[in-house]
Amino acid sequence: MGAQQVRERFTELYGAEPEGVWAAPGRVNLIGEHTDYNDGFVMPFALPHQVTAAVSRRTDGRLRLHSADVGGQVVELALDGLAPGTDQDWTAYPAGVVWALREAGHPVTGADVHLASTVPTGAGLSSSAALEVVVALALDELFGLDLPRWKLARLCQRAENVYVGAPTGIMDQTASACCEEGHALFLDTRDLSQRQIPFDLAAEGLRLLVVDTQVKHAHSGGEYGKRRAGCEKGAALLGVDALRDVAYGELDAALERLGDEDEVRRLVRHIVTENRRVERVVELLTSGDVRAIGPVLTAGHTSLRDDFRISCPELDLVVDTALAAGALGARMTGGGFGGSAIALAEASAVDTLTKAVEEGFAAAGYTAPRVFEAVPSPGARRLR
């Protein structure tokens, strides 16, 4: 839905034109999975799919929310009544942002909000982070808060962690807030330092496909939390602040020290090797050797499947089929247990690869996947 449509629908709902219209994108993570809550490295880029929000200020302590994607009536909430755990619906995400801003001392006095999204939900493409960031950016501008993008991302993460109750890291919100068109974002999640790495696949005759398996996942589910707790246990056993502090060259010795903690050993091995894979992709892209990142992506999937154990049959089918059809590399992306996979391919191989994946799903009796090209796109911004 375009900015004008969102603007017009806002006017229908609330009886006045909005003060502005903003957008924030979903993201694909090129490499660096589950490293963000371990103070590690990640490398996402923004998608053209986005959440669009028309917003106006209120001064009466009320928050009114409506989503074109959910339907139903406008939901009205009292700001003084916002508290973690009180909302289990989609409204928890924008309400959580308002709560986090107010908890941090920022004078948000209410808002009318209408939202529309083209980011697939449950596909591992950060639809929730895009929703949070677009609301945060709109309120930042409307209330003159003048917060830097990294701080908006932190507040959105707090909203999701504390208000919604999903133990996610900082990557998704930072990607939505900070990515730039034609680039991947190399982010150090410990200090939030950033480098924009040129990532122009079309110029190289390449394409990156996203395959949404249509298998839904939920970050607030127990398995994600178990992995995070296991990583924290590994860091404690190794006497480090976070698994980021285990050097790649010291991995074997660290695993030896973990003894018979087999599950923790697997988690530690994935995080340490995944951080190294992010660094390797940065090296390759910086040197212009784009095709060489393919095997690194595939190695990441193997680690997520075998060590972190968060893949599923549909994701594995995408990866195996894509590679057999000529992909340079492929892996699952996102939190796991469903969602999406990515495949790097020559532009000339896209049709063959897409057909092979679709036929593979049909033969396995799976729901037909959604396949689309991922184009590095702008981060959150005001549209009008």
Side-chain angles (χ1 to χ4, degrees), residues 139-189:
L139 296 177
D140 175 73
E141 293 190 16
L142 289 174
F143 287 96
L145 307 181
D146 199 28
L147 296 170
R149 291 296 182 94
W150 68 265
K151 187 167 286 188
L152 283 179
R154 276 288 192 209
L155 288 166
C156 289
Q157 182 200 16
R158 177 166 168 75
E160 187 149 352
N161 288 173
V162 180
Y163 197 93
V164 178
T168 56
I170 190 62
M171 174 181 66
D172 296 348
Q173 292 84 1
T174 305
S176 187
C178 300
C179 279
E180 295 182 3
E181 186 173 11
H183 293 77
L185 177 68
F186 177 37
L187 173 67
D188 182 334
T189 64

Side-chain angles (χ1 to χ4, degrees), residues 234 237-238 253-262 264-265 268:
L237 290 171
L238 292 171
L255 296 178
E256 185 76 17
R257 289 168 55 198
L258 291 172
D260 59 0
E261 293 277 357
D262 290 340
V264 174
R265 283 165 57 91
V268 170

Side-chain angles (χ1 to χ4, degrees), residues 1-11 21 52-54 114 116:
M1 188 176 289
Q4 184 59 31
Q5 289 173 288
V6 173
R7 187 181 187 91
E8 291 172 355
R9 182 59 174 140
F10 179 99
T11 304
V21 180
T52 306
H114 172 61

Side-chain angles (χ1 to χ4, degrees), residues 22-364:
W22 291 260
R27 65 96 187 98
V28 161
N29 193 24
L30 182 63
I31 192 72
E33 220 63 80
H34 288 265
T35 49
D36 59 346
Y37 54 80
N38 288 285
D39 283 1
F41 305 126
V42 294
M43 201 172 186
F45 64 89
L47 288 168
H49 307 73
Q50 61 189 22
V51 177
T52 306
V55 186
S56 286
R57 286 169 290 185
R58 297 180 67 89
T59 59
D60 61 356
R62 311 297 291 180
L63 175 65
R64 296 197 293 181
L65 302 167
H66 186 269
S67 169
D69 309 291
V70 178
Q73 301 300 309
V74 171
V75 177
E76 184 167 338
L77 303 169
L79 299 192
D80 288 343
L82 300 181
T86 59
D87 189 348
Q88 301 300 315
D89 208 348
W90 70 270
T91 51
Y93 295 94
V97 170
V98 175
W99 170 84
L101 285 167
R102 286 167 56 86
E103 282 284 300
H106 302 296
V108 176
T109 57
D112 288 337
V113 182
H114 172 61
L115 299 149
S117 178
T118 59
V119 185
T121 58
L125 303 175
S126 297
S127 58
S128 60
L131 193 162
E132 293 157 359
V133 168
V134 75
V135 171
L137 181 61
L139 296 177
D140 175 73
E141 293 190 16
L142 289 174
F143 287 96
L145 307 181
D146 199 28
L147 296 170
R149 291 296 182 94
W150 68 265
K151 187 167 286 188
L152 283 179
R154 276 288 192 209
L155 288 166
C156 289
Q157 182 200 16
R158 177 166 168 75
E160 187 149 352
N161 288 173
V162 180
Y163 197 93
V164 178
T168 56
I170 190 62
M171 174 181 66
D172 296 348
Q173 292 84 1
T174 305
S176 187
C178 300
C179 279
E180 295 182 3
E181 186 173 11
H183 293 77
L185 177 68
F186 177 37
L187 173 67
D188 182 334
T189 64
R190 170 163 281 172
D191 61 13
L192 298 189
S193 59
Q194 304 175 16
R195 280 176 58 196
Q196 301 287 346
I197 307 297
F199 193 50
D200 187 354
L201 293 173
E204 299 289 333
L206 297 170
R207 299 291 186 272
L208 189 76
L209 296 181
V210 176
V211 182
D212 177 4
T213 64
Q214 307 284 349
V215 177
K216 302 301 182 184
H217 74 163
H219 268 176
S220 54
E223 291 301 318
Y224 184 97
K226 288 179 184 176
R227 300 306 187 280
R228 183 163 186 163
C231 289
E232 291 169 353
K233 180 179 179 180
L237 290 171
L238 292 171
V240 294
D241 291 335
L243 293 182
R244 148 74 173 276
D245 297 312
V246 180
Y248 180 70
E250 299 170 0
L251 176 59
D252 289 343
L255 296 178
E256 185 76 17
R257 289 168 55 198
L258 291 172
D260 59 0
E261 293 277 357
D262 290 340
E263 182 175 353
V264 174
R265 283 165 57 91
R266 288 194 301 269
L267 298 178
V268 170
R269 181 164 52 226
H270 167 73
I271 297 302
V272 176
T273 59
E274 186 79 344
N275 277 324
R276 178 57 193 142
R277 282 186 285 271
V278 178
E279 293 177 314
R280 182 59 181 150
V281 168
V282 171
E283 293 166 0
L284 292 168
L285 291 181
T286 302
S287 68
D289 196 359
V290 183
R291 284 169 174 79
I293 74 172
V296 186
L297 303 183
T298 304
H301 183 77
T302 301
S303 182
L304 289 163
R305 182 193 65 204
D306 298 344
D307 276 342
F308 229 65
R309 299 187 178 185
I310 58 171
S311 189
C312 66
E314 292 86 350
L315 288 168
D316 292 340
L317 178 61
V318 174
V319 171
D320 294 342
T321 304
L323 293 172
L328 300 174
R331 74 174 193 91
M332 60 154 284
T333 186
F337 313 105
S340 299
I342 57 174
L344 179 68
E346 303 288 349
S348 59
V350 165
D351 290 344
T352 300
L353 195 156
T354 300
K355 182 180 179 183
V357 170
E358 291 173 343
E359 290 179 347
F361 268 58

